[in-house]
Amino acid sequence: NMSSPTSTPSASASSSSSLSSTTPSASTSSSFVITPAPAPAPAPAPAPAPAPAPNPRFRGMLIPALKAECKARGFKVSGTKQELIDRLEGRELPSPSGSKRKLASTPFDDDDDESHKAISRSIDYSWVNDADPNLVKRLTIKDLRKVYASKVKEFHREVDSDWHDGYEEQGESLAEYLNSFAPLFQDIYDLAVVKGVGFQHCNEVLVVLADFIEQLKSVPMRGGVEEVLEDNYATKVKVNFSRENKVVTMENPAEMFETMWSYIILAAMAYGVDQIIIDQILCSKHSFGYDDVGGDFGVVDLQLIDPQLQPQVDRYTSLCKDKAAPWRALPSRKVSYKGKRVLDRRYDGPKNRRTRNSD
């Protein structure tokens, strides 16, 4: 985020040039010679501080233990094993500007994942200066990733504790997760459609939420997470249009993401956003398989709700259906997750955690 000052050698170069033009060369005859005054001797450089002695205790620790030590001391926990050891031993080198290396270059994302940082650095965050601080906080990408990663772990534990008989409670948990999307969807609508800013960031929020759904699908819930999510677990997003309050009800992830991504793309077109950004957003939508253009909760619904976006519908539909469109050549944003393991605790696992009497 910060820029460091740069040196300007032009002044010294000019001074050198001026001196050489007035100083006689060896081949030029002259009746006198000007002897310059000797330059003052430079001050002695301070002796470097002795390097901290290696700590054998850190050298024998594994990476998780080193990260725990760094966290306890308030240090960063990213990096290789050697970097963690250097940090703990006080050997971490400062950057050329004199400050410690920063993990991110945006006000939102100091995630350690290099792919996340690369994407985050390409996003325009200029809209943040005029945005509601509470909205900015709610849409912080790093925090959203942490929140939904913890929900995946929570759901995995819930399924693992009672795979066979706990499916009703687990279905209620899934409904609760989906309903947590509602205020985020409202923020996305207000930011992209109403104010016409933050399109890339809104796209990243949807990527986090869609990725969360993919992670949930990796948990082998009885009956299947995908089937349960499709089965009448509704969330509502309240959208404001033309001084009227209208409610769009979206009943499953496909309807949610098709609708919200369509809002962002059509709004980006209406506000004249660069085509490269539109292609990136459309690629994200396509990566997760939400391609039902013109479906019940796709473009048709948008035509009825927001006339501001209606003139862009034909362009949007054509771009989606174009097999040679540039957005199709962009890398997928979807990550594949291996299926997690759970036990049927009627019969397996420690006896004190079984859901059936084994005697």
Side-chain angles (χ1 to χ4, degrees), residues 9 19 38 60 62 64 76 83 95 97 115-117 133 139 148 158 163 167 169 254 303 330 346-347:
L19 179 62
L62 298 177
K76 299 193 296 282
E83 289 172 340
S95 67
S97 63
S115 62
H116 292 165
K117 288 192 289 184
L139 296 184
Y148 285 102
E158 185 178 356
W163 173 84
Y167 58 90
E169 292 81 3
Q303 285 179 304
L330 297 177
R346 292 177 297 171
Y347 315 110

Side-chain angles (χ1 to χ4, degrees), residues 161-181:
S161 66
D162 193 2
W163 173 84
H164 188 268
D165 297 328
Y167 58 90
E168 290 185 356
E169 292 81 3
Q170 294 154 23
E172 292 173 359
S173 294
L174 291 175
E176 181 182 336
Y177 298 154
L178 292 188
N179 279 284
S180 74
F181 291 178

